[in-house]
Structure formats: structure tokens, C-alpha cells
Amino acid sequence: MTHLSKFRRGAAVLASAGLLCGVLGSGAAVAANPASTPAATAHGPYKGRVVARHELTVRTGPGTNYRAVGSLRHGEVVTLVCKVNGQNVRGNSRWYKLREGRYAWASARYLRPLGAAPGWCGNRHHR
């Protein structure tokens, strides 16, 4: 997977920026519970945590037949852009479009939204 290091580096930068904004934003209460703010629950940004036991492969589209472009580790927090119904993975056909430096897709079977889940994607799956 040739894009692995760029993907992880982007995720780390976004996670660091989110922590910094929470600490310097409107106080410790926001950093401790970002879902309590209206922006986090009504319009995003939506976040999800990787719950796969091993690395979660991210792909160019919502199915395992799409090209793998990287992976995420158990416990990583990512930005969820929107959701679609795609290939069924162990009883779950939902896939999330991720934004971690670039767009990628991951099965919802291995991601848990932190707070509200994002809305449905439009007609286009890729960007």
C-alpha cells in the first residue's frame, strides 16, 4: 500500500489540530465533550473510531473490490464525511466516506461513530 505513510501522517495532523483547537477553543468542557456543541451534533464534523481488531483497510470505493489505499489502526479516530450502502461486510452494508488528507472509504462494520453519524452521500461516491 503505497499511500500508507501519507494517509497516517494526514490523520495525525488532523487529530493534533482537533486537540489543539479543543484546548485553545472555548475551554476544557469543549475539549472533554465535543459532541455537546451544536456544530458537532447538527452539522459535523463527524468522527468515528476504528474498532477493527487488526488494521482496517481503506479503499477507493465502498466495497472490497475497490483498490486499497491505506489502513487505519485499532482505536484511531477519523473524520466521517457521509455514508452509503455498499458491499455487505459481515452483515453490515454501510460504508463511510472518510476525509483524512484525502477521500477514502471504510466499512462501517469496523467503525463506530463518536456522537451523531453523518448523513447520506449524494449521487457521486468519489472525489
Side-chain angles (χ1 to χ4, degrees):
M1 296 184 198
T2 59
H3 303 294
L4 184 60
S5 63
K6 285 183 183 180
F7 191 81
R8 285 197 178 140
R9 184 174 31 232
V13 168
L14 289 173
S16 297
L19 289 173
L20 183 60
C21 290
V23 171
L24 297 178
S26 58
V30 173
N33 190 5
S36 66
T37 63
T41 57
H43 303 293
Y46 302 101
K47 299 289 182 177
R49 183 176 311 278
V50 176
V51 296
R53 289 184 188 173
H54 303 288
E55 288 189 341
L56 171 61
T57 301
V58 294
R59 301 182 175 278
T60 59
T64 59
N65 57 323
Y66 288 90
R67 184 172 53 90
V69 293
S71 63
L72 301 167
R73 292 183 184 184
H74 176 82
E76 281 191 65
V77 175
V78 296
T79 301
L80 307 177
V81 176
C82 59
K83 61 189 173 191
V84 298
N85 284 323
Q87 179 186 4
N88 187 307
V89 176
R90 300 192 67 168
N92 189 333
S93 62
R94 181 132 328 133
W95 285 72
Y96 288 115
K97 186 176 189 178
L98 310 177
R99 172 70 186 229
E100 299 304 318
R102 61 192 167 89
Y103 291 105
W105 292 86
S107 171
R109 170 73 174 88
Y110 302 108
L111 285 168
R112 293 293 171 265
L114 300 175
W120 294 97
C121 298
N123 292 333
R124 293 189 303 187
H125 292 239
H126 308 286
R127 239 183 139 174

